Amino acid sequence: MDDSTGEFVTETFAYDGGRQVTVYVPPAAPEAVVYAGDGQLISTWGPDLVTAGVPPTLVVGVHRTDDPDEMVRIREYSPSFEPEQFAAHETFFVDEVREWVRTRFGVVLPAERTAVFGVSASAELALAMGVRHPDVYGSVFAASPGGGYHPPEVLPDGLPRTYLVAGTEEPWFLENAARWYDALHAADVDVVMTERPGNHGDPFWRAEFPLMVSWAF
């Protein structure tokens, strides 16, 4: 990458025996920041934001587990399965990574300039972080959320703005996104939902990312 498209910085943390975080640093001073699960994938989409002409945005991609057992990833990302494992990852994601971003990049932005993003299982993480930490994340981006984490029966007040997207060829994930849309809309949350042609995978997720950032910031 050259100076016109930004750069990537990767750090390895002690969490889980060595968990990486990759940050996309835009060419201009960040005016917004997006924290993402499945960060080894989502951080690579950062240069698309420059092309789209959205405000300079730091993308902090917290990598998924290396464990080949998919349930390990799901237990980290969804509070519905193993509370202790979820809580450990939550502390790492919300506290340790944000503090590193503050000290390493000097980026401290208010909630209205901070979003959390995820795709598939990590979209459940993004939704959970929005429900549990609305003081930190002012916007939630959730693409094709999995169904392990359902909206609580009673949603708290002051939830962040939420942007949901799912593909027309992934009916189970589309249903999960619609469930969240209905619950958030009923709770008077600023929420939008978009259906895109496509199956479960990153092409339409990646194409939606600049639209999400533009909507939020």
Side-chain angles (χ1 to χ4, degrees), residues 11 21 39 64 117 140 173:
E11 180 82 7
V21 176
R64 71 180 66 166
F117 181 25
V140 172
F173 295 95

Side-chain angles (χ1 to χ4, degrees), residues 149-155 176 179-181 183-184:
Y149 176 48
H150 288 192
E153 289 189 11
V154 179
L155 286 166
N176 295 330
R179 179 188 298 117
W180 273 97
Y181 174 83
L184 293 169

